[in-house]
Structures are given as structure tokens and as C-alpha cells.
mmCIF file of all heavy atoms in Angstrom:
data_model
loop_
_atom_site.group_PDB
_atom_site.id
_atom_site.type_symbol
_atom_site.label_atom_id
_atom_site.label_comp_id
_atom_site.label_asym_id
_atom_site.label_seq_id
_atom_site.Cartn_x
_atom_site.Cartn_y
_atom_site.Cartn_z
ATOM 1 N N THR A 1 0.846 -1.192 0.000
ATOM 2 C CA THR A 1 0.000 0.000 0.000
ATOM 3 C C THR A 1 0.882 1.242 0.000
ATOM 4 O O THR A 1 2.102 1.159 0.148
ATOM 5 C CB THR A 1 -0.901 0.037 1.251
ATOM 6 O OG1 THR A 1 -0.069 -0.078 2.409
ATOM 7 C CG2 THR A 1 -1.927 -1.074 1.235
ATOM 8 N N SER A 2 0.242 2.392 -0.157
ATOM 9 C CA SER A 2 0.982 3.655 -0.088
ATOM 10 C C SER A 2 0.092 4.703 0.580
ATOM 11 O O SER A 2 -1.132 4.566 0.630
ATOM 12 C CB SER A 2 1.383 4.122 -1.494
ATOM 13 O OG SER A 2 0.227 4.341 -2.280
ATOM 14 N N GLY A 3 0.731 5.738 1.107
ATOM 15 C CA GLY A 3 0.000 6.878 1.661
ATOM 16 C C GLY A 3 -1.015 6.502 2.715
ATOM 17 O O GLY A 3 -0.754 5.736 3.644
ATOM 18 N N GLN A 4 -2.223 7.019 2.548
ATOM 19 C CA GLN A 4 -3.279 6.885 3.555
ATOM 20 C C GLN A 4 -3.722 5.438 3.747
ATOM 21 O O GLN A 4 -4.161 5.058 4.838
ATOM 22 C CB GLN A 4 -4.479 7.757 3.150
ATOM 23 C CG GLN A 4 -5.534 7.951 4.226
ATOM 24 C CD GLN A 4 -5.035 8.724 5.444
ATOM 25 O OE1 GLN A 4 -3.975 9.335 5.394
ATOM 26 N NE2 GLN A 4 -5.785 8.680 6.531
ATOM 27 N N GLU A 5 -3.610 4.613 2.705
ATOM 28 C CA GLU A 5 -4.010 3.203 2.835
ATOM 29 C C GLU A 5 -3.128 2.470 3.840
ATOM 30 O O GLU A 5 -3.597 1.581 4.551
ATOM 31 C CB GLU A 5 -3.931 2.508 1.462
ATOM 32 C CG GLU A 5 -5.037 2.912 0.503
ATOM 33 C CD GLU A 5 -6.434 2.618 1.056
ATOM 34 O OE1 GLU A 5 -6.655 1.487 1.527
ATOM 35 O OE2 GLU A 5 -7.285 3.526 1.041
ATOM 36 N N THR A 6 -1.841 2.828 3.907
ATOM 37 C CA THR A 6 -0.929 2.222 4.883
ATOM 38 C C THR A 6 -1.334 2.612 6.295
ATOM 39 O O THR A 6 -1.338 1.778 7.214
ATOM 40 C CB THR A 6 0.527 2.667 4.611
ATOM 41 O OG1 THR A 6 0.815 2.533 3.224
ATOM 42 C CG2 THR A 6 1.517 1.828 5.407
ATOM 43 N N VAL A 7 -1.692 3.883 6.483
ATOM 44 C CA VAL A 7 -2.151 4.372 7.795
ATOM 45 C C VAL A 7 -3.406 3.605 8.216
ATOM 46 O O VAL A 7 -3.536 3.152 9.359
ATOM 47 C CB VAL A 7 -2.441 5.893 7.742
ATOM 48 C CG1 VAL A 7 -2.967 6.383 9.086
ATOM 49 C CG2 VAL A 7 -1.199 6.673 7.343
ATOM 50 N N LYS A 8 -4.310 3.443 7.266
ATOM 51 C CA LYS A 8 -5.583 2.772 7.566
ATOM 52 C C LYS A 8 -5.366 1.311 7.975
ATOM 53 O O LYS A 8 -5.997 0.822 8.913
ATOM 54 C CB LYS A 8 -6.493 2.839 6.330
ATOM 55 C CG LYS A 8 -7.959 2.596 6.647
ATOM 56 C CD LYS A 8 -8.815 2.538 5.403
ATOM 57 C CE LYS A 8 -9.003 3.909 4.798
ATOM 58 N NZ LYS A 8 -9.964 3.847 3.653
ATOM 59 N N LEU A 9 -4.434 0.631 7.280
ATOM 60 C CA LEU A 9 -4.154 -0.774 7.608
ATOM 61 C C LEU A 9 -3.581 -0.900 9.019
ATOM 62 O O LEU A 9 -3.979 -1.783 9.785
ATOM 63 C CB LEU A 9 -3.177 -1.365 6.587
ATOM 64 C CG LEU A 9 -2.737 -2.814 6.828
ATOM 65 C CD1 LEU A 9 -3.936 -3.760 6.812
ATOM 66 C CD2 LEU A 9 -1.706 -3.255 5.795
ATOM 67 N N ALA A 10 -2.665 0.002 9.394
ATOM 68 C CA ALA A 10 -2.066 -0.045 10.736
ATOM 69 C C ALA A 10 -3.124 0.193 11.816
ATOM 70 O O ALA A 10 -3.149 -0.504 12.838
ATOM 71 C CB ALA A 10 -0.952 0.993 10.848
ATOM 72 N N ILE A 11 -4.005 1.152 11.590
ATOM 73 C CA ILE A 11 -5.046 1.455 12.588
ATOM 74 C C ILE A 11 -6.060 0.313 12.665
ATOM 75 O O ILE A 11 -6.501 -0.064 13.755
ATOM 76 C CB ILE A 11 -5.728 2.805 12.264
ATOM 77 C CG1 ILE A 11 -4.724 3.954 12.473
ATOM 78 C CG2 ILE A 11 -6.963 3.029 13.138
ATOM 79 C CD1 ILE A 11 -5.244 5.322 12.102
ATOM 80 N N ARG A 12 -6.413 -0.257 11.507
ATOM 81 C CA ARG A 12 -7.332 -1.412 11.512
ATOM 82 C C ARG A 12 -6.738 -2.559 12.320
ATOM 83 O O ARG A 12 -7.449 -3.237 13.075
ATOM 84 C CB ARG A 12 -7.594 -1.880 10.079
ATOM 85 C CG ARG A 12 -8.655 -1.073 9.347
ATOM 86 C CD ARG A 12 -8.773 -1.536 7.902
ATOM 87 N NE ARG A 12 -9.256 -2.903 7.803
ATOM 88 C CZ ARG A 12 -9.015 -3.716 6.764
ATOM 89 N NH1 ARG A 12 -8.300 -3.278 5.741
ATOM 90 N NH2 ARG A 12 -9.494 -4.921 6.745
ATOM 91 N N ALA A 13 -5.423 -2.790 12.180
ATOM 92 C CA ALA A 13 -4.759 -3.870 12.918
ATOM 93 C C ALA A 13 -4.820 -3.606 14.426
ATOM 94 O O ALA A 13 -5.127 -4.511 15.215
ATOM 95 C CB ALA A 13 -3.309 -4.000 12.463
ATOM 96 N N LEU A 14 -4.570 -2.362 14.832
ATOM 97 C CA LEU A 14 -4.611 -2.022 16.264
ATOM 98 C C LEU A 14 -6.016 -2.136 16.835
ATOM 99 O O LEU A 14 -6.209 -2.542 17.979
ATOM 100 C CB LEU A 14 -4.084 -0.607 16.489
ATOM 101 C CG LEU A 14 -2.595 -0.457 16.786
ATOM 102 C CD1 LEU A 14 -2.240 1.011 16.948
ATOM 103 C CD2 LEU A 14 -2.181 -1.227 18.034
ATOM 104 N N LEU A 15 -7.020 -1.778 16.029
ATOM 105 C CA LEU A 15 -8.413 -1.836 16.503
ATOM 106 C C LEU A 15 -8.875 -3.262 16.779
ATOM 107 O O LEU A 15 -9.905 -3.474 17.420
ATOM 108 C CB LEU A 15 -9.344 -1.159 15.493
ATOM 109 C CG LEU A 15 -9.245 0.367 15.403
ATOM 110 C CD1 LEU A 15 -10.128 0.899 14.285
ATOM 111 C CD2 LEU A 15 -9.612 1.019 16.728
ATOM 112 N N GLU A 16 -8.106 -4.254 16.282
ATOM 113 C CA GLU A 16 -8.435 -5.653 16.576
ATOM 114 C C GLU A 16 -8.318 -5.939 18.081
ATOM 115 O O GLU A 16 -8.977 -6.828 18.599
ATOM 116 C CB GLU A 16 -7.485 -6.592 15.808
ATOM 117 C CG GLU A 16 -7.701 -6.619 14.308
ATOM 118 C CD GLU A 16 -9.013 -7.278 13.933
ATOM 119 O OE1 GLU A 16 -9.200 -8.461 14.273
ATOM 120 O OE2 GLU A 16 -9.854 -6.605 13.313
ATOM 121 N N VAL A 17 -7.424 -5.198 18.772
ATOM 122 C CA VAL A 17 -7.188 -5.500 20.193
ATOM 123 C C VAL A 17 -7.430 -4.295 21.102
ATOM 124 O O VAL A 17 -7.471 -4.441 22.321
ATOM 125 C CB VAL A 17 -5.746 -6.020 20.421
ATOM 126 C CG1 VAL A 17 -5.524 -7.313 19.681
ATOM 127 C CG2 VAL A 17 -4.702 -4.986 20.026
ATOM 128 N N VAL A 18 -7.557 -3.109 20.531
ATOM 129 C CA VAL A 18 -7.723 -1.900 21.349
ATOM 130 C C VAL A 18 -9.186 -1.490 21.364
ATOM 131 O O VAL A 18 -9.811 -1.383 20.313
ATOM 132 C CB VAL A 18 -6.858 -0.741 20.797
ATOM 133 C CG1 VAL A 18 -7.101 0.533 21.599
ATOM 134 C CG2 VAL A 18 -5.388 -1.117 20.849
ATOM 135 N N GLU A 19 -9.704 -1.255 22.562
ATOM 136 C CA GLU A 19 -11.091 -0.794 22.679
ATOM 137 C C GLU A 19 -11.123 0.737 22.717
ATOM 138 O O GLU A 19 -10.101 1.382 22.854
ATOM 139 C CB GLU A 19 -11.714 -1.376 23.954
ATOM 140 C CG GLU A 19 -11.812 -2.900 23.907
ATOM 141 C CD GLU A 19 -12.255 -3.483 25.229
ATOM 142 O OE1 GLU A 19 -12.528 -2.688 26.149
ATOM 143 O OE2 GLU A 19 -12.310 -4.711 25.339
ATOM 144 N N SER A 20 -12.274 1.308 22.587
ATOM 145 C CA SER A 20 -12.512 2.762 22.646
ATOM 146 C C SER A 20 -11.969 3.534 21.458
ATOM 147 O O SER A 20 -11.783 4.737 21.529
ATOM 148 C CB SER A 20 -11.917 3.390 23.917
ATOM 149 O OG SER A 20 -12.048 2.573 25.011
ATOM 150 N N GLY A 21 -11.672 2.839 20.373
ATOM 151 C CA GLY A 21 -11.298 3.542 19.133
ATOM 152 C C GLY A 21 -10.046 4.377 19.241
ATOM 153 O O GLY A 21 -9.100 4.038 19.934
ATOM 154 N N GLY A 22 -10.054 5.540 18.549
ATOM 155 C CA GLY A 22 -8.863 6.367 18.406
ATOM 156 C C GLY A 22 -8.361 6.991 19.686
ATOM 157 O O GLY A 22 -7.219 7.452 19.745
ATOM 158 N N LYS A 23 -9.199 7.019 20.720
ATOM 159 C CA LYS A 23 -8.809 7.654 21.980
ATOM 160 C C LYS A 23 -7.614 6.958 22.620
ATOM 161 O O LYS A 23 -6.797 7.584 23.293
ATOM 162 C CB LYS A 23 -10.008 7.628 22.930
ATOM 163 C CG LYS A 23 -9.838 8.446 24.188
ATOM 164 C CD LYS A 23 -11.145 8.546 24.955
ATOM 165 C CE LYS A 23 -11.604 7.178 25.443
ATOM 166 N NZ LYS A 23 -12.802 7.236 26.294
ATOM 167 N N ASN A 24 -7.494 5.644 22.411
ATOM 168 C CA ASN A 24 -6.424 4.869 23.041
ATOM 169 C C ASN A 24 -5.353 4.431 22.054
ATOM 170 O O ASN A 24 -4.692 3.411 22.248
ATOM 171 C CB ASN A 24 -7.003 3.625 23.741
ATOM 172 C CG ASN A 24 -7.797 4.002 24.968
ATOM 173 O OD1 ASN A 24 -7.640 5.094 25.511
ATOM 174 N ND2 ASN A 24 -8.670 3.125 25.403
ATOM 175 N N ILE A 25 -5.184 5.187 20.984
ATOM 176 C CA ILE A 25 -4.190 4.846 19.959
ATOM 177 C C ILE A 25 -3.274 6.039 19.705
ATOM 178 O O ILE A 25 -3.736 7.179 19.650
ATOM 179 C CB ILE A 25 -4.895 4.440 18.636
ATOM 180 C CG1 ILE A 25 -5.635 3.114 18.801
ATOM 181 C CG2 ILE A 25 -3.899 4.325 17.500
ATOM 182 C CD1 ILE A 25 -6.442 2.716 17.590
ATOM 183 N N GLU A 26 -1.982 5.744 19.582
ATOM 184 C CA GLU A 26 -1.010 6.765 19.166
ATOM 185 C C GLU A 26 -0.419 6.308 17.837
ATOM 186 O O GLU A 26 0.017 5.161 17.724
ATOM 187 C CB GLU A 26 0.091 6.880 20.232
ATOM 188 C CG GLU A 26 1.116 7.954 19.971
ATOM 189 C CD GLU A 26 2.197 7.977 21.047
ATOM 190 O OE1 GLU A 26 1.898 7.650 22.211
ATOM 191 O OE2 GLU A 26 3.351 8.305 20.710
ATOM 192 N N VAL A 27 -0.443 7.170 16.842
ATOM 193 C CA VAL A 27 0.011 6.797 15.492
ATOM 194 C C VAL A 27 0.991 7.849 14.973
ATOM 195 O O VAL A 27 0.774 9.050 15.148
ATOM 196 C CB VAL A 27 -1.183 6.669 14.516
ATOM 197 C CG1 VAL A 27 -0.695 6.301 13.108
ATOM 198 C CG2 VAL A 27 -2.174 5.630 15.003
ATOM 199 N N ALA A 28 2.056 7.369 14.344
ATOM 200 C CA ALA A 28 3.021 8.276 13.706
ATOM 201 C C ALA A 28 3.300 7.771 12.293
ATOM 202 O O ALA A 28 3.373 6.561 12.049
ATOM 203 C CB ALA A 28 4.310 8.343 14.505
ATOM 204 N N VAL A 29 3.432 8.703 11.369
ATOM 205 C CA VAL A 29 3.650 8.384 9.961
ATOM 206 C C VAL A 29 5.007 8.942 9.539
ATOM 207 O O VAL A 29 5.318 10.103 9.826
ATOM 208 C CB VAL A 29 2.536 8.999 9.080
ATOM 209 C CG1 VAL A 29 2.773 8.674 7.610
ATOM 210 C CG2 VAL A 29 1.172 8.501 9.523
ATOM 211 N N MET A 30 5.806 8.106 8.869
ATOM 212 C CA MET A 30 7.099 8.572 8.377
ATOM 213 C C MET A 30 7.127 8.525 6.856
ATOM 214 O O MET A 30 6.754 7.509 6.247
ATOM 215 C CB MET A 30 8.231 7.719 8.944
ATOM 216 C CG MET A 30 9.601 8.126 8.422
ATOM 217 S SD MET A 30 10.972 7.274 9.234
ATOM 218 C CE MET A 30 11.306 8.404 10.560
ATOM 219 N N THR A 31 7.530 9.631 6.247
ATOM 220 C CA THR A 31 7.747 9.687 4.796
ATOM 221 C C THR A 31 9.165 10.185 4.547
ATOM 222 O O THR A 31 9.795 10.789 5.418
ATOM 223 C CB THR A 31 6.753 10.642 4.114
ATOM 224 O OG1 THR A 31 6.889 11.948 4.696
ATOM 225 C CG2 THR A 31 5.318 10.165 4.283
ATOM 226 N N LYS A 32 9.663 9.938 3.354
ATOM 227 C CA LYS A 32 11.022 10.356 3.017
ATOM 228 C C LYS A 32 11.155 11.882 3.057
ATOM 229 O O LYS A 32 12.154 12.429 3.518
ATOM 230 C CB LYS A 32 11.376 9.817 1.612
ATOM 231 C CG LYS A 32 12.752 10.217 1.103
ATOM 232 C CD LYS A 32 13.856 9.598 1.937
ATOM 233 C CE LYS A 32 15.231 10.050 1.475
ATOM 234 N NZ LYS A 32 16.290 9.707 2.429
ATOM 235 N N GLU A 33 10.122 12.578 2.568
ATOM 236 C CA GLU A 33 10.197 14.041 2.444
ATOM 237 C C GLU A 33 10.041 14.743 3.786
ATOM 238 O O GLU A 33 10.733 15.711 4.078
ATOM 239 C CB GLU A 33 9.102 14.559 1.490
ATOM 240 C CG GLU A 33 9.236 14.074 0.050
ATOM 241 C CD GLU A 33 8.742 12.646 -0.138
ATOM 242 O OE1 GLU A 33 7.946 12.170 0.707
ATOM 243 O OE2 GLU A 33 9.201 11.997 -1.100
ATOM 244 N N HIS A 34 9.115 14.250 4.638
ATOM 245 C CA HIS A 34 8.746 15.003 5.836
ATOM 246 C C HIS A 34 9.184 14.367 7.153
ATOM 247 O O HIS A 34 8.919 14.918 8.219
ATOM 248 C CB HIS A 34 7.218 15.221 5.863
ATOM 249 C CG HIS A 34 6.699 15.908 4.641
ATOM 250 N ND1 HIS A 34 5.956 15.241 3.672
ATOM 251 C CD2 HIS A 34 6.846 17.176 4.195
ATOM 252 C CE1 HIS A 34 5.647 16.085 2.702
ATOM 253 N NE2 HIS A 34 6.178 17.260 2.987
ATOM 254 N N GLY A 35 9.847 13.216 7.089
ATOM 255 C CA GLY A 35 10.268 12.548 8.323
ATOM 256 C C GLY A 35 9.085 12.034 9.125
ATOM 257 O O GLY A 35 8.032 11.707 8.568
ATOM 258 N N LEU A 36 9.243 11.998 10.446
ATOM 259 C CA LEU A 36 8.208 11.434 11.326
ATOM 260 C C LEU A 36 7.213 12.511 11.732
ATOM 261 O O LEU A 36 7.605 13.600 12.138
ATOM 262 C CB LEU A 36 8.853 10.832 12.574
ATOM 263 C CG LEU A 36 7.922 10.029 13.484
ATOM 264 C CD1 LEU A 36 7.579 8.685 12.853
ATOM 265 C CD2 LEU A 36 8.576 9.809 14.852
ATOM 266 N N ARG A 37 5.920 12.168 11.623
ATOM 267 C CA ARG A 37 4.873 13.095 12.052
ATOM 268 C C ARG A 37 3.848 12.345 12.892
ATOM 269 O O ARG A 37 3.309 11.335 12.464
ATOM 270 C CB ARG A 37 4.181 13.721 10.834
ATOM 271 C CG ARG A 37 3.127 14.771 11.203
ATOM 272 C CD ARG A 37 2.541 15.420 9.965
ATOM 273 N NE ARG A 37 1.570 14.569 9.295
ATOM 274 C CZ ARG A 37 0.270 14.504 9.612
ATOM 275 N NH1 ARG A 37 -0.199 15.238 10.606
ATOM 276 N NH2 ARG A 37 -0.551 13.722 8.942
ATOM 277 N N GLN A 38 3.633 12.836 14.113
ATOM 278 C CA GLN A 38 2.623 12.236 14.990
ATOM 279 C C GLN A 38 1.244 12.723 14.543
ATOM 280 O O GLN A 38 1.050 13.922 14.335
ATOM 281 C CB GLN A 38 2.859 12.681 16.439
ATOM 282 C CG GLN A 38 4.229 12.303 16.987
ATOM 283 C CD GLN A 38 4.226 10.975 17.719
ATOM 284 O OE1 GLN A 38 3.184 10.331 17.850
ATOM 285 N NE2 GLN A 38 5.378 10.562 18.183
ATOM 286 N N LEU A 39 0.314 11.793 14.376
ATOM 287 C CA LEU A 39 -1.046 12.175 13.992
ATOM 288 C C LEU A 39 -1.800 12.742 15.197
ATOM 289 O O LEU A 39 -1.675 12.237 16.310
ATOM 290 C CB LEU A 39 -1.817 10.972 13.445
ATOM 291 C CG LEU A 39 -1.329 10.349 12.130
ATOM 292 C CD1 LEU A 39 -2.350 9.350 11.623
ATOM 293 C CD2 LEU A 39 -1.045 11.383 11.061
ATOM 294 N N GLU A 40 -2.566 13.784 14.947
ATOM 295 C CA GLU A 40 -3.415 14.352 16.002
ATOM 296 C C GLU A 40 -4.589 13.411 16.270
ATOM 297 O O GLU A 40 -4.965 12.603 15.419
ATOM 298 C CB GLU A 40 -3.946 15.727 15.564
ATOM 299 C CG GLU A 40 -2.872 16.773 15.314
ATOM 300 C CD GLU A 40 -2.139 17.187 16.575
ATOM 301 O OE1 GLU A 40 -2.759 17.109 17.667
ATOM 302 O OE2 GLU A 40 -0.957 17.549 16.478
ATOM 303 N N GLU A 41 -5.171 13.556 17.450
ATOM 304 C CA GLU A 41 -6.289 12.678 17.825
ATOM 305 C C GLU A 41 -7.467 12.818 16.857
ATOM 306 O O GLU A 41 -8.132 11.836 16.527
ATOM 307 C CB GLU A 41 -6.743 13.012 19.252
ATOM 308 C CG GLU A 41 -7.564 11.896 19.877
ATOM 309 C CD GLU A 41 -7.828 12.125 21.363
ATOM 310 O OE1 GLU A 41 -6.874 12.384 22.102
ATOM 311 O OE2 GLU A 41 -9.014 12.062 21.741
ATOM 312 N N ALA A 42 -7.704 14.037 16.370
ATOM 313 C CA ALA A 42 -8.814 14.260 15.430
ATOM 314 C C ALA A 42 -8.570 13.505 14.120
ATOM 315 O O ALA A 42 -9.507 12.949 13.523
ATOM 316 C CB ALA A 42 -8.965 15.751 15.153
ATOM 317 N N GLU A 43 -7.299 13.462 13.653
ATOM 318 C CA GLU A 43 -6.969 12.737 12.418
ATOM 319 C C GLU A 43 -7.185 11.240 12.600
ATOM 320 O O GLU A 43 -7.710 10.565 11.704
ATOM 321 C CB GLU A 43 -5.508 13.006 12.025
ATOM 322 C CG GLU A 43 -5.206 14.430 11.624
ATOM 323 C CD GLU A 43 -3.729 14.616 11.312
ATOM 324 O OE1 GLU A 43 -2.963 14.912 12.244
ATOM 325 O OE2 GLU A 43 -3.343 14.458 10.144
ATOM 326 N N ILE A 44 -6.778 10.712 13.768
ATOM 327 C CA ILE A 44 -6.967 9.280 14.045
ATOM 328 C C ILE A 44 -8.459 8.960 14.114
ATOM 329 O O ILE A 44 -8.920 7.959 13.544
ATOM 330 C CB ILE A 44 -6.264 8.882 15.363
ATOM 331 C CG1 ILE A 44 -4.758 9.104 15.246
ATOM 332 C CG2 ILE A 44 -6.558 7.422 15.708
ATOM 333 C CD1 ILE A 44 -4.002 8.955 16.553
ATOM 334 N N ASP A 45 -9.234 9.821 14.799
ATOM 335 C CA ASP A 45 -10.685 9.612 14.900
ATOM 336 C C ASP A 45 -11.349 9.581 13.525
ATOM 337 O O ASP A 45 -12.280 8.803 13.287
ATOM 338 C CB ASP A 45 -11.323 10.714 15.763
ATOM 339 C CG ASP A 45 -11.019 10.526 17.246
ATOM 340 O OD1 ASP A 45 -10.702 9.386 17.633
ATOM 341 O OD2 ASP A 45 -11.077 11.518 17.996
#
């Protein structure tokens, strides 16, 4: 996958074991151009 589809797959995998949705998840995305970026809670939701 690429871009947003990769983010979605990682969050779907975490939701298999994490309850309460995005509130209990921390996600960071790394790209070659922009390095590491922590997603805000609103983006995860």
C-alpha cells in the first residue's frame, strides 16, 4: 500500500485489540520528504 491506505491498515490492525477507538491509539507516519509526524487525535478519529 501507499499513503493513507498504509495508515488505515495499521489502525485497523490495532483496533483488533484496542477498545474505545482512536482515543487509546497513538500513530506516527514517516515519509522520506517530511520525516516522522505524529497524527493528532482528530486525524486518528
